[in-house]
Amino acid sequence: MRTTSTLAILTTATLTLAACGAGQQPTAAKSVILITPNPVGTNSFLQLSVKGAEAAAKEIGASFKLYESKDPTSIAQNLDAAVRARPTVIVGVSFSFDDPFATLPKQHPQQQFLQVDSCAKGQAANLTCVSFKEHEAAYLAGVEAGLLSKSGKLGVVAALDSPFVHRWIDPFFAGARSVAPSATGTPLYVGGNNPFSDPARAKAQAQSLTGQGADIVAAAASAGNQGVFEAAAATGAKSFGVDVDQCAQSPGTIIDNVLKHVDVAERAAIKDIAAGRAGGVKVYGLKEGGVGVSALGDDLAASTCVVASSPEVVTKVKQVRDDIVAGKVTVADPLAG
């Protein structure tokens, strides 16, 4: 008798709950998963991507998870885990995701993907892309280098010899030649197993360039940049940083920085996706405020950037920036062939 009464009560309660919940679907918790191609470590570019994703997650009321990769195999493993987690958006950073994002979004049409700093070919409707015109900012840095170099010999230490990385190389030399036609430029590459995270190899390449007479060696080696700065400082040469303001890493050595506001663009894209505005490609250049150099900032006077002591150079850079934005100067994009 007691068992029957208990069963009746449980049955009634279950039916009541079912009736109350009829037609209602539980609201899925929002979440953002960011996958990097390499460990974040001291990589300023990846640090910016984490900053942007975390900020966006907080604004949309989502949880945030970071999956750090170290090679193509771990990228694939992290993507598999992320897809199974079914977050609001899966973010992949850099051209390292070109191949997987050419197929994965099509295989999972209900999942939203965001690729930062590149875009897979045959872009799926559920893949949003954010890219930058780094070449425009690199050109401005080249203008500074051309005006400040005493030897007329410039160098760049870059991570890889690829069309994408050449966005930091070719425009830099072109900008220099626009103000110093006789200037010459030599690029050397880090390569190896960790081209974006090898300060020792980057330093060795910078030493080779200064040994050849280069008095300005720009760094485009991500986490390897510190090695370039050390080599330049040891010989009295100057350098340029990338992505963020790196002048404080070697005061008196770094002229300026080729800035890329990855965090701002990524944050905006994640918020758009969460709001139902997904898909397409948003490109950020000088006009959109997505790239630039420290010389254009309001806080230049308080920085340790060498260019702060050359107001005439800053004036020229601002003029060239305005000319690029107005379409009077067109900077060739190495990625466009």
Side-chain angles (χ1 to χ4, degrees):
M1 186 68 177
R2 186 175 299 170
T3 302
T4 303
S5 299
T6 302
L7 179 60
I9 291 170
L10 289 173
T11 301
T12 301
T14 300
L15 289 172
T16 301
L17 287 172
C20 291
Q24 296 180 5
Q25 296 294 328
T27 301
K30 294 179 180 179
S31 60
V32 175
I33 294 178
L34 173 67
I35 305 175
T36 61
N38 304 105
V40 176
T42 58
N43 188 315
S44 57
F45 170 68
L46 296 181
Q47 288 174 345
L48 277 181
S49 70
V50 173
K51 178 182 177 182
E54 284 183 323
K58 184 176 181 180
E59 288 192 46
I60 66 174
S63 63
F64 172 76
K65 288 185 179 180
L66 171 64
Y67 294 177
E68 297 179 87
S69 312
K70 58 183 180 180
D71 52 33
T73 299
S74 57
I75 288 176
Q77 293 170 340
N78 283 333
L79 281 169
D80 181 63
V83 167
R84 284 188 279 109
R86 292 161 53 171
T88 306
V89 59
I90 296 171
V91 186
V93 184
S94 86
F95 58 83
S96 296
F97 289 80
D98 284 356
D99 288 341
F101 277 3
T103 57
L104 201 61
K106 296 173 184 177
Q107 295 168 354
H108 302 275
Q110 300 307 313
Q111 173 65 59
Q112 291 297 327
F113 295 84
L114 169 63
Q115 187 171 2
V116 177
D117 210 29
S118 189
C119 196
K121 292 182 179 179
Q123 183 185 2
N126 56 324
L127 172 62
T128 303
C129 295
V130 171
S131 61
F132 302 85
K133 295 180 179 179
E134 300 93 347
H135 50 295
E136 293 183 344
Y139 186 91
L140 295 183
V143 169
E144 296 176 68
L147 293 172
L148 294 172
S149 174
K150 294 181 173 61
S151 70
K153 295 181 179 180
L154 310 175
V156 176
V157 174
L160 291 172
D161 184 4
S162 70
F164 182 76
V165 176
H166 269 268
R167 280 183 153 194
W168 283 265
I169 302 171
D170 302 355
F172 178 75
F173 294 145
R177 287 191 291 269
S178 74
V179 294
S182 62
T184 60
T186 303
L188 291 180
Y189 306 94
V190 177
N193 295 326
N194 297 293
F196 294 94
S197 304
D198 196 335
R201 287 175 67 94
K203 183 175 182 178
Q205 297 294 57
Q207 289 171 330
S208 178
L209 288 168
T210 57
Q212 296 172 32
D215 63 347
I216 295 178
V217 179
S222 296
N225 285 0
Q226 186 59 39
V228 179
F229 303 153
E230 291 173 3
T235 60
K238 304 300 181 185
S239 189
F240 283 83
V242 293
D243 296 332
V244 298
D245 188 339
Q246 297 188 300
C247 291
Q249 291 183 221
S250 186
T253 298
I254 303 173
I255 294 173
D256 204 336
N257 308 274
V258 178
L259 302 174
K260 182 159 61 173
H261 304 299
V262 177
D263 54 333
V264 176
E266 180 185 52
R267 179 178 175 183
I270 292 173
K271 290 170 63 179
D272 280 347
I273 292 169
R277 298 185 295 272
V281 181
K282 182 63 182 287
V283 181
Y284 291 82
L286 288 174
K287 184 177 182 179
E288 296 77 19
V291 299
V293 290
S294 298
L296 300 174
D298 296 331
D299 56 350
L300 177 63
S303 76
T304 57
C305 297
V306 173
V307 73
S309 61
S310 300
E312 71 284 358
V313 174
V314 174
T315 298
K316 178 63 175 179
V317 168
K318 289 181 177 179
Q319 177 210 316
V320 177
R321 182 271 314 271
D322 292 344
D323 287 344
I324 293 173
V325 170
K328 296 178 181 178
V329 171
T330 300
V331 181
D333 181 2
L335 194 59

